[in-house]
């Protein structure tokens, strides 16, 4: 998966893009939270070099989501609805299947708008989630790596399509070049037998306990037709 796979044909208003395109610097990038559910927080600065983008066009981070991770389109929509980061699936991408494990999933592409302030700075927040991994005979964990984002000018086209123009490589040294890694626990092959029998034992013990409680409970008094307790 690469930027070239999501760069569509130029829309007519792309002709009005400035000759000198903005430059983006990644000031910092980190994961917040723990476990399978994290936030990717990217701090960027944009030098527009005096350029004014046409209406309907924004600088955006293009996040390539590997098959070991996923984003929730509804969650992204809620972020935008409440005035936070606007992020959405690229128009060429189907909505990610949330329940699939990594070994039957496919990569995806997410666009995150850079809503820079007057100083050209912005903080991009994207919730991301780890998928379940295939079991392993030797490993207890696997790493899911989120590559550094590319940056584009994204222009909304009629019918919900998007036209993208790649910007130059982002500045920022290691912050712009290093992937983020989520360490994920992996089930060990052979554990399914333990889980199978353990689940049945716990279920059986629980059922016997409920039967015993019901058998020892005093009978519930009945109220007759004339309101007398029988």
């Amino acid at each position: 998966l690469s930027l070239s796979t999501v760069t569509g044909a130029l829309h007519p208003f792309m002709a009005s893009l400035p000759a000198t395109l903005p430059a983006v610097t990644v000031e910092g990038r980190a994961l917040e939270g723990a476990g399978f559910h994290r936030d990717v927080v990217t701090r960027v600065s944009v030098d527009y070099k005096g350029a004014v983008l046409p209406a309907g066009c924004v600088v955006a981070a293009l996040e390539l989501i590997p098959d070991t991770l996923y984003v929730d389109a509804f969650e992204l929509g809620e972020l935008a609805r409440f005035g936070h980061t606007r992020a959405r699936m690229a128009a060429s991408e189907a909505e990610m299947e949330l329940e699939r494990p990594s070994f039957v999933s496919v990569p995806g592409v997410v666009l995150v708008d850079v809503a820079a302030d007057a100083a050209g700075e912005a903080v991009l927040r994207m919730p991301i989630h780890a998928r379940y991994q295939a079991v392993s005979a030797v490993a207890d964990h696997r790493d899911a790596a989120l590559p550094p984002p590319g940056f584009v000018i994204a222009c909304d086209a009629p019918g919900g399509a998007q036209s993208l123009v790649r910007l130059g490589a982002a500045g920022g040294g290691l912050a712009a070049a290093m992937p983020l890694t989520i360490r994920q626990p992996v089930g060990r092959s052979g554990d399914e037998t333990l889980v199978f029998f353990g689940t049945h034992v716990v279920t059986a013990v629980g059922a016997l306990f409920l039967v015993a409680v019901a058998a020892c409970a005093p009978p519930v008094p009945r109220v007759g037709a004339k309101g007398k307790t029988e």
Side-chain angles (χ1 to χ4, degrees), residues 22 30 61 63 72 76 90 95 105 114 131 154 195 207 211 217:
E63 298 276 7
D72 183 338
L76 297 183
E95 185 173 321
S105 300
V114 177
R131 294 188 184 276
V195 171
V211 170

Side-chain angles (χ1 to χ4, degrees), residues 155-202:
C155 296
D156 294 332
Q162 291 145 0
S163 293
L164 310 177
V165 171
R166 281 187 287 184
L167 299 177
L174 289 178
M178 294 297 291
L180 297 176
T181 301
I182 299 177
R183 194 160 178 78
Q184 301 168 272
V186 175
R188 296 292 293 270
S189 56
D191 286 353
E192 65 271 17
T193 302
L194 177 62
V195 171
F196 176 83
F197 286 107
T199 302
H200 280 72
V201 168
V202 171

